[in-house]
């Protein structure tokens, strides 16, 4: 878990520089460009998470105990926020992902984007990521 | 024991102070201070409720859902918070089991139409009772007529209590719905709905409870009751007009077809095929009554602060005091004398017409309701054209009843 | 001519002052003064409207109709006066042709269900257009599916204008209803409803007009239009949420079966037979939304004081000014370029996602709507997922558009 | 017409004595006892005017140009108000009845009883009385 929190704290530190909303969003958009893009073969209805406002595709890969995510969105701000989530969660242990408390979202002022009523697909995506963590974890337990 | 008495007294004293929360109670009527005894028709509103509505419009209003801007987000959060407030008020399992409607009447019509479409067939039966409000009779008559089903009416005795033997004899596999009043608006009878639900569930029959009169007076726990549907109106429980709630168990609501078509209730629309949104939105087509849902939540918070147990006890005291007082008037005939009664006194005096009594009470500043109270079949059952009804809210006090007694005495003198 | 100019200017100046009637417009958003450009979703409310609601509760509330006491009489008078205010606002022939509903969506559903039950049969047709709001699509899909009737959709061209030749070719004796938007909420197109009504009436086909976007922007005369049904929402015309109006010609309303069953809408109820009340009560089952009907009447009075001609002209000026301003932004693509347009600008910039623009405008204090605006089939028609929409109310001014232009320029810079 | 107005003015004068509502209503009820009661044969569904609150029966007789009314109600206050209306209108010329402006109702404070939303049958009764006047009048004209 501490690895996830370390990354969260890093992000909070990075975002401290911005006192203007627009600068903050420019940075988020930049982050979006670093997003490990989902393979085109996964950009289908099966992997889509539909929001009313924007669409998100998400794919998860298990490597040992660790879960790696790739994703994409048709809106670039959504994409930037996904990039933050992936930076924090991807490559971490399934059990840590399942349990993670993502306090950084609130701290850097993005809470609204993950509100249940925002319907941009992000909250559903986050739930999906945690679900992958949970499933992978329980599989791991069964295997072990 | 003594400590308990003291505590009760202090609660009662506190509830006495609540009267000043209701600006309208300062009014004069025909030169006399208003005594408002018609809360069963519609209660008055405390300032916190009307201020919550105004404050919502002055600070937060925007259309809800799907807005990306902050104001819309705030409005949506406020609206959904109201839903959560209602959920915990009635102890629903899920917030999406709380559907906002205009009021009790719309809620019952929604169920009669949507559930009826899916589950009621020719030759089926729907059970109601003699003491139902028109709003819990006519929608079922309409669906029965449409579907060729039959309406069965459970008897009520002279005291105004539902005949459970008759109810039992009417339950059968043909019955597709039982719809019953929780508290009679005309008689005040508190009906044994828990028992009736259990009896219906033995045959897997769902039960709709008309809670219009119950939510302002007693704590409702829809899970403990195991009610399949529970419906009530905001305006009878210190909340605004134009808002009410249909609670339905998730599995029923999921099985029912949508009611209204329009914005909010859809997932995707093409001219060929429309797919519906999930609960609760499936049943909330169009822009909801956002401001009044917030007003209703404020009313629930207000009630919660005082405590429904305190309110019940207070109204019970009023009922006992008022019944004693009025029974000394010659020719007094109470309509509705059930053992379990809420804060409603319906009566006739000799053969004086209720309208005459109502008019002369009004001239003395006393507001009571007269007539059939939207329960004509119940009036037919008693063979009377109507009653005079005094009904209580948390703001009433013993003085109100003293005033009623005096005014009634004078009216009866003139009229007989 | 000069005198006329002066007069217009002074009216415009006066309308500029109206902004301060709306308390919410004082708010700051993300550290910037709020620029509210989402009135087509729901308008803001002037203090006179919200104060009318509060004052009703604080001074006059009681349940309406049938009450013999003074308060109930006053509440009833206030409620019926609201109906009369609406009647004259739309120039209806009779006040009982004005039915209070929750909003436009409920009004259309009422007609689709009740008219549909009585008049739509298997093989019949209902005509709508490509630019309808979901609330004027889904209810007709539902009734058509139920009755085995067919929905016919009239084409719209690239500019967003209804193709009247296509409309003409679809009119036939099979058609039992034409349902058409007066002003498109997504495009702003003012549709030729008068002409469409006349064409339908040649074949005795009734027409329902969805006036949700029209009543805040232009004078409506239902008799001059000869509309059979006209429906609108209070919350889009400076009035409260939870209230709207269904206007229907008396002879249609009389022929239609009741919609909801319950209190108010009955004459007599027995378990064997129920007879229905006359208009408008036949369609107003249950306790109505009294307070918000009074709020709506206050909104109508407020609009009337300013004058819908002044409002129209003001919004037209905003439309022209804003369209000019925005067209200088590279990649700007207006969606909806009809000749007759109301105060709505829908657009896309290059291939930037509307959600991104909406988010960055919000951070600069600008509230616009993004998405499909409950008109998915229209989005499919244009082959786009949604638009950014700026829509105007009487309180907007040129500065709001300057702020939009600046903020949009900055957003586009960041996003492209 | 002046005869009708004379009777109205008389009533207004009589009611000036009461500054207490209850006394006023006692007087109205007394007046009810002077009401020319409708014959039992007319107390049927055909002659009923249904209000939600009280019921009214009304019958009209033509004597030459003049219309005579008899009536009854199940509520005695309603009956008293009917008595006032009949005192003012009964025996008058059909044409005068049809045209009458009954200002006394407002002046003696009974307006609310004839409100369209009161639903006690009184407003419908008044309309009925004027209708009788109108019909009788037009018949008279045809005959003459
Ligand atoms: C053209 C049009 N029709 C119908 C509606 C539905 O109105 P309401 O949501 O108030 O029922 C709207 C509002 O979104 C609209 O713009
Ligand atoms: C027992 C009961 N059921 C239903 C209703 C109808 O409620 P509403 O008129 O608020 O829809 C009432 C209110 O009169 C009632 O007392």
């Amino acid at each position: 878990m501490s690895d996830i929190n370390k990354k969260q704290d890093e992000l909070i530190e990075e975002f401290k520089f911005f006192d203007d909303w627009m600068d903050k969003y420019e940075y988020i958009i930049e982050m979006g460009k670093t997003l490990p893009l989902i393979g085109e073969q996964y950009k289908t209805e099966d992997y889509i998470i539909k929001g009313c406002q924007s669409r998100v595709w998400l794919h998860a890969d298990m490597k040992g105990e660790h879960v790696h995510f790739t994703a994409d969105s048709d809106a670039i701000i959504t994409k930037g926020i996904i990039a933050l989530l992936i930076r924090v969660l991807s490559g971490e242990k399934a059990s840590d992902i399942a349990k993670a408390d993502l306090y950084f979202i609130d701290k850097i002022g993005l809470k609204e984007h993950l509100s249940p009523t925002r319907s941009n697909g992000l909250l559903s995506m986050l739930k999906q990521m945690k679900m992958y963590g949970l499933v992978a974890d329980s599989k791991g337990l069964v295997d072990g | 024991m003594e400590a308990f008495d003291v505590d009760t007294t202090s609660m009662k004293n506190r509830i006495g102070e609540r009267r000043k929360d209701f600006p309208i109670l300062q009014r004069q009527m025909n030169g006399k201070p208003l005594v408002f005894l018609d809360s069963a028709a519609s209660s008055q509103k405390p300032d916190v409720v009307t201020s919550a509505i105004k404050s919502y419009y002055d600070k937060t209003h925007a259309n809800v859902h799907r807005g990306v801007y902050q104001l819309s987000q705030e409005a949506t959060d406020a609206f959904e918070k109201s839903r959560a407030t209602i959920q915990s008020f009635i102890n629903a399992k899920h917030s999406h089991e709380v559907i906002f409607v205009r009021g009790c009447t719309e809620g019952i019509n929604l169920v009669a139409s949507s559930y009826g479409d899916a589950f009621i067939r020719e030759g089926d039966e729907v059970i109601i009772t003699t003491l139902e409000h028109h709003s819990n009779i006519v929608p079922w008559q309409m669906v029965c007529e449409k579907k060729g089903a039959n309406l069965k009416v459970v008897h009520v005795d002279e005291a105004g209590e539902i005949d459970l033997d008759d109810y039992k004899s009417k339950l059968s596999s043909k019955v597709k719905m039982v719809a019953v009043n929780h508290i009679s608006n005309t008689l005040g009878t508190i009906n044994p709905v828990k028992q009736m639900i259990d009896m219906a569930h033995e045959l897997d029959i769902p039960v709709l409870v008309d809670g219009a009169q119950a939510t302002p007076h007693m704590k409702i726990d829809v899970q403990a009751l195991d009610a399949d549907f529970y419906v009530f109106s905001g305006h009878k429980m210190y909340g605004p007009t134009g808002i009410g709630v249909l609670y339905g168990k998730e599995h029923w609501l999921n099985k029912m077809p949508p009611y209204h078509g329009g914005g909010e209730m859809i997932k995707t629309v093409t001219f060929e095929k429309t797919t519906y949104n999930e609960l609760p939105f499936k049943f909330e087509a169009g822009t909801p009554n956002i401001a009044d849902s917030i007003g209703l939540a404020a009313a629930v918070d207000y009630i919660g602060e005082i405590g429904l147990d305190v309110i019940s006890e207070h109204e019970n005291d009023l009922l006992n005091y008022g019944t004693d007082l009025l029974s000394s008037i010659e020719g007094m005939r109470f309509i509705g004398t059930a053992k379990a009664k809420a804060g409603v006194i319906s009566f006739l005096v000799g053969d004086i017409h209720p309208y005459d009594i109502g008019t002369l009470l009004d001239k003395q500043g006393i507001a009571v309701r007269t007539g059939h109270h939207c329960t004509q079949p119940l009036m037919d059952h008693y063979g009377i054209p109507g009653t005079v009804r005094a009904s209580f809210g948390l703001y009433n006090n013993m003085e109100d009843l003293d005033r009623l007694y005096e005014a009634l005495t004078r009216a009866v003198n003139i009229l007989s």
Side-chain angles (χ1 to χ4, degrees), chain A, chain B:
Chain A
M1 183 82 93
S2 69
D3 210 29
I4 288 178
N5 286 1
K6 226 178 81 193
K7 288 192 275 180
Q8 293 199 69
D9 293 341
E10 259 170 46
L11 273 173
I12 293 169
E13 203 57 32
E14 286 172 33
F15 272 85
K16 271 202 183 136
F17 290 105
F18 307 111
D19 42 9
D20 181 82
W21 274 112
M22 295 304 275
D23 297 339
K24 195 185 279 185
Y25 274 91
E26 274 200 78
Y27 189 67
I28 291 171
I29 290 165
E30 278 311 305
M31 302 285 288
K33 296 182 182 155
T34 71
L35 178 67
L37 283 186
I38 192 169
E40 274 304 318
Q41 74 273 29
Y42 298 121
K43 241 173 134 173
T44 64
E45 282 293 311
D46 284 351
Y47 292 88
I48 209 167
I49 295 165
K50 261 191 199 150
C52 238
Q53 293 284 347
S54 58
R55 294 180 298 170
V56 171
W57 294 266
L58 176 71
H59 182 247
D61 253 332
M62 279 295 288
K63 291 195 182 133
E65 288 187 307
H66 301 262
V67 190
H68 292 263
F69 294 106
T70 54
D72 201 357
S73 171
D74 55 350
I76 71 175
I77 291 175
T78 307
K79 202 162 151 177
I81 297 168
I82 297 175
L84 302 182
L85 291 170
I86 286 193
R87 178 167 146 188
V88 169
L89 295 178
S90 193
E92 297 303 324
K93 283 214 288 215
S95 57
D96 288 350
I97 293 171
K99 280 178 292 177
D101 165 24
L102 296 179
Y103 53 84
F104 85 100
I105 295 164
D106 200 358
K107 281 272 169 63
I108 66 181
L110 295 179
K111 196 179 64 178
E112 65 198 73
H113 287 277
L114 282 107
S115 142
T117 54
R118 183 80 168 199
S119 66
N120 55 4
L122 275 174
L123 185 69
S124 311
M125 190 197 73
L126 188 57
K127 279 195 194 146
Q128 193 78 35
M129 290 171 97
K130 292 197 147 203
M131 189 62 77
Y132 280 129
L134 208 64
V135 173
D137 186 37
S138 62
K139 266 208 215 133
L141 284 177
V142 171
D143 289 359
Chain B
M1 198 54 186
E2 216 189 327
F4 179 75
D5 278 1
V6 170
D7 193 28
T8 309
T9 311
S10 88
M11 283 194 291
K12 278 187 204 163
N13 287 346
R14 281 208 308 276
I15 202 170
E17 285 164 29
R18 293 299 185 160
R19 191 179 177 100
K20 69 174 173 5
D21 299 340
F22 296 80
I24 205 171
L25 298 180
Q26 305 304 317
R27 272 200 65 173
Q28 300 272 316
M29 283 295 146
N30 298 306
K32 305 265 160 57
L34 168 65
V35 172
F36 187 75
L37 293 171
D38 194 24
S39 295
S42 195
S43 69
Q44 298 302 343
K45 322 301 170 198
D47 184 68
V48 286
V49 166
T50 54
S51 294
I53 295 169
K54 180 144 177 46
S55 161
Y56 164 75
Y57 283 127
D58 287 352
K59 293 194 191 120
T60 317
H61 176 67
N63 212 332
V64 293
H65 303 305
R66 285 193 298 269
V68 299
Y69 57 89
Q70 190 185 329
L71 210 53
S72 167
Q73 199 60 47
E74 288 177 22
T76 306
D77 289 347
F79 178 61
E80 292 303 331
K81 194 169 155 239
S82 297
R83 198 190 304 280
T85 300
I86 305 299
Q87 177 197 354
S88 80
F89 177 64
I90 58 173
N91 193 32
K93 193 163 173 194
H94 306 288
S95 70
H96 59 250
E97 292 175 326
V98 172
I99 314 287
F100 284 115
V101 290
R102 177 171 37 249
C104 195
T105 301
E106 189 188 26
I108 297 171
N109 277 277
L110 191 163
V111 177
S113 166
S114 173
Y115 174 92
D117 262 2
F119 295 103
I120 299 177
R121 306 259 167 281
E122 199 176 330
D124 284 348
E125 293 176 357
V126 171
I127 290 183
I128 60 173
T129 82
T130 302
L131 55 66
E132 301 308 317
H133 187 279
H134 292 165
S135 291
N136 203 25
I137 300 174
V138 186
W140 303 111
Q141 285 184 320
M142 286 164 73
V143 71
C144 283
E145 195 185 310
K146 202 158 137 192
K147 296 292 193 138
N150 299 308
L151 198 63
K152 298 283 160 178
V153 184
V154 177
H155 297 161
V156 159
D157 67 15
E158 190 60 25
E161 293 180 342
I162 292 174
D163 179 342
L164 288 180
D165 290 333
D166 187 47
Y167 174 57
K168 188 160 189 186
S169 77
K170 289 196 159 92
L171 285 170
S172 80
S173 62
K174 279 190 191 167
V175 178
K176 289 294 164 336
M177 175 64 82
V178 172
V180 61
N181 206 334
H182 200 163
I183 298 184
S184 160
N185 59 307
T186 303
L187 308 175
T189 317
I190 303 174
N191 296 310
V193 291
K194 171 68 185 143
Q195 207 177 331
M196 292 175 77
I197 290 170
D198 289 346
M199 287 163 75
H201 282 180
E202 274 175 31
L203 294 168
D204 292 325
I205 304 164
V207 179
L208 175 143
V209 180
D210 171 357
Q213 296 296 334
T215 47
H217 296 297
M218 59 197 275
K219 177 77 196 129
I220 303 303
D221 181 332
V222 290
Q223 291 188 76
L225 280 177
D226 205 17
D228 300 277
F229 301 98
Y230 199 97
V231 205
F232 55 99
S233 289
H235 71 97
K236 297 202 195 259
M237 49 184 284
Y238 313 106
T241 58
I243 192 85
V245 172
L246 162 62
Y247 158 83
K249 279 185 189 166
E250 182 183 43
H251 80 95
W252 282 120
L253 294 177
N254 274 329
K255 280 186 203 142
M256 282 156 54
Y259 183 53
H260 284 166
E264 299 285 352
M265 58 71 77
I266 55 89
K267 198 166 246 150
T268 57
V269 175
T270 66
F271 291 126
E272 293 71 41
K273 190 173 165 47
T274 289
T275 57
Y276 299 119
N277 206 338
E278 52 208 28
L279 294 174
F281 309 111
K282 173 178 158 189
F283 288 107
E284 290 182 355
T287 302
N289 189 346
I290 310 166
D292 290 328
S293 76
I294 288 163
L296 177 55
V300 165
D301 288 342
Y302 179 77
I303 292 173
E305 217 178 87
I306 301 173
L308 269 166
D309 46 345
V310 176
I311 295 173
S312 287
E313 198 187 326
H314 175 67
E315 288 174 359
N316 221 31
D317 289 349
L318 293 172
L319 176 67
N320 292 334
Y321 183 76
T323 307
D324 274 1
L325 212 55
L326 297 192
S327 61
S328 70
I329 290 177
E330 212 188 293
M332 175 59 57
R333 178 180 161 204
F334 294 112
I335 311 296
T337 50
K339 280 179 289 300
K341 256 193 83 166
V344 169
I345 305 181
S346 252
F347 62 88
L348 290 170
V349 185
D351 53 7
I352 304 176
H353 197 287
Y355 180 78
D356 290 325
I357 293 181
T359 302
L360 293 191
L361 290 181
D362 175 47
K363 291 299 164 201
Q364 299 174 83
I366 320 275
V368 295
R369 186 125 316 222
T370 62
H372 55 60
H373 317 296
C374 290
T375 55
Q376 282 182 1
L378 186 62
M379 297 297 95
D380 294 345
H381 165 69
Y382 284 107
I384 54 179
T387 76
V388 181
R389 182 188 69 185
S391 58
F392 315 135
L394 64 90
Y395 32 67
N396 289 114
N397 56 27
M398 306 292 173
E399 275 162 66
D400 288 343
L401 295 170
D402 292 338
R403 289 269 314 275
L404 169 65
Y405 172 77
E406 280 163 39
L408 183 59
T409 307
R410 191 156 173 209
V412 168
N413 268 339
I414 293 175
L415 292 166
S416 42

